[in-house]
Amino acid sequence: MLNLSGKNALVTGIANNRSIAWGIAQQLHAAGANLGVTYLPDEKGRFEKKVRELVEEPIAPSIFVPCDVQNDEQIQEAFNTVADKWGKLDILIHCLAFADKEGLSGDFSAISRQAFSQALEISTYSLGRLAGAAKPLMNEGGSIVTLTYLGGVRAIPNYNLMGVAKAGLEMSVRYLAAEMGPHNIRVNAISAGPIRTLASSAVGGILDMIHHVEEVAPLRRTVTQTEVGNAAAFLCSDLASGITGQVLYVDAGYEIMGM
Ligand code: 0WD
């Protein structure tokens, strides 16, 4: 039985009701986890309001804090809140990424230095940074899950800069798993099939990609946020106690095909 009762789970990356992080948060909640949610703050507080309205009733998070992963103080504040309110953390969901549009279509060789470092900082470096902040709080062991995509392994049209970020992210999973295994902290990634979200809409030709998957994937469809959420709940549960450093494909089988 998948049971996360008694577990404290911090979920990053909820932007709206299409976000993969929202699918994950709902499934962790359904499995009995106690939820904390971070949001990306903006100057006018619109994001905070939107995310609060979305999550408040369905999952009643006991922690709701801002966390821009480019801001070290905010990261520390968020984990200080976890320490004060919960004392221990069991689950960390890293479900965020960003690349400027210039890196998500056109020539890979034209990507600017600035766009490259910004994408890698937000989408790749942040996993290690958050994992490092979580580590001392995972004093009874823990599970860290991040989100990746096939474009980190193969050259998928237009995924360009984010492909490099995801390749780095998948390697970070392995190094973090090696570091944290002796503390019984497991680190894994889910490689999700393409899903229509705010982030994916920035990738050139995403709808064509989704249609292609619907034609070619063994299951002849794409996946849902709920299916990704279920896989995340599994990886965070004791049912997955022997699994670390892995990339689990939740993509209707697309990855095995020769296109
Ligand atoms: O097809 C897809 N949608 C797939 C997404 C397939 C496979 C993997 N993924 C990955 C993404 O690369 C990302 O790592 O899943 C993760 C979640 O993406 P999503 O659910 O597709 O996208 P979205 O709902 O837009 O959430 C990403 C969020 C941001 O939203 P916006 O759209 O406002 O950028 O990442 C957060 C933000 O909430 N985010 C940040 N959080 C903290 N600090 C930052 C930041 N600096 N930048 C973006």
Side-chain angles (χ1 to χ4, degrees):
M1 242 294 265
L2 203 157
N3 182 5
L4 298 177
S5 51
K7 307 249 190 217
N8 295 324
L10 190 67
V11 178
T12 66
I14 300 177
N16 57 37
N17 65 354
R18 284 174 176 265
S19 297
I20 293 175
W22 178 228
I24 295 174
Q26 287 174 291
Q27 296 317 112
L28 295 179
H29 174 74
N34 176 34
L35 268 289
V37 166
T38 74
Y39 60 89
L40 176 63
D42 65 335
E43 269 175 24
K44 293 189 174 153
R46 278 186 297 218
F47 234 68
E48 174 181 359
K49 187 166 177 284
K50 210 164 125 188
V51 179
R52 190 190 290 279
E53 281 171 4
L54 174 69
V55 303
E56 210 159 33
E57 222 184 274
I59 63 168
S62 52
I63 288 176
F64 185 76
V65 284
C67 184
D68 179 342
V69 297
Q70 289 190 288
N71 183 327
D72 280 333
E73 270 172 36
Q74 237 171 58
I75 293 174
Q76 202 45 58
E77 278 287 305
F79 283 89
N80 286 347
T81 305
V82 171
D84 291 347
K85 286 210 172 170
W86 292 347
K88 64 143 189 168
L89 180 65
D90 304 288
I91 293 167
L92 172 66
I93 305 295
H94 175 274
C95 192
L96 56 93
F98 180 82
D100 190 275
K101 266 197 157 202
E102 72 162 84
L104 299 171
S105 63
D107 286 342
F108 184 86
S109 61
I111 295 168
S112 69
R113 193 182 297 271
Q114 203 216 336
F116 194 95
S117 41
Q118 182 194 34
L120 271 283
E121 184 192 342
I122 296 176
S123 315
T124 309
Y125 173 72
S126 63
L127 175 65
R129 191 70 194 73
L130 295 189
K135 188 178 174 185
L137 298 173
M138 291 187 155
N139 39 38
E140 294 178 12
S143 173
I144 299 173
V145 172
T146 187
L147 267 292
T148 186
Y149 177 59
L150 185 60
V153 178
R154 296 190 201 156
I156 306 261
N158 298 316
Y159 203 62
N160 298 7
L161 174 53
M162 194 53 80
V164 174
K166 292 305 190 192
L169 185 74
E170 292 184 18
M171 207 56 227
S172 303
V173 164
R174 299 183 185 102
Y175 279 105
L176 287 167
E179 173 194 328
M180 299 200 177
H183 303 276
N184 197 27
I185 300 171
R186 298 180 294 104
V187 187
N188 292 288
I190 292 174
S191 186
I195 297 176
R196 284 188 73 175
T197 63
L198 214 56
S200 71
S201 65
V203 181
I206 180 71
L207 288 183
D208 295 339
M209 192 59 211
I210 289 175
H211 291 144
H212 176 63
V213 169
E214 285 167 348
E215 281 170 11
V216 170
L219 297 181
R220 296 290 188 274
R221 60 178 180 82
T222 52
V223 291
T224 64
Q225 280 88 342
T226 304
E227 288 176 311
V228 177
N230 281 330
F234 161 69
L235 284 175
C236 293
S237 77
D238 292 342
L239 296 180
S241 56
I243 303 175
T244 194
Q246 299 302 308
V247 177
L248 175 63
Y249 281 83
V250 181
D251 67 343
Y254 180 79
E255 184 263 344
I256 65 162
M257 301 302 291
M259 298 298 144

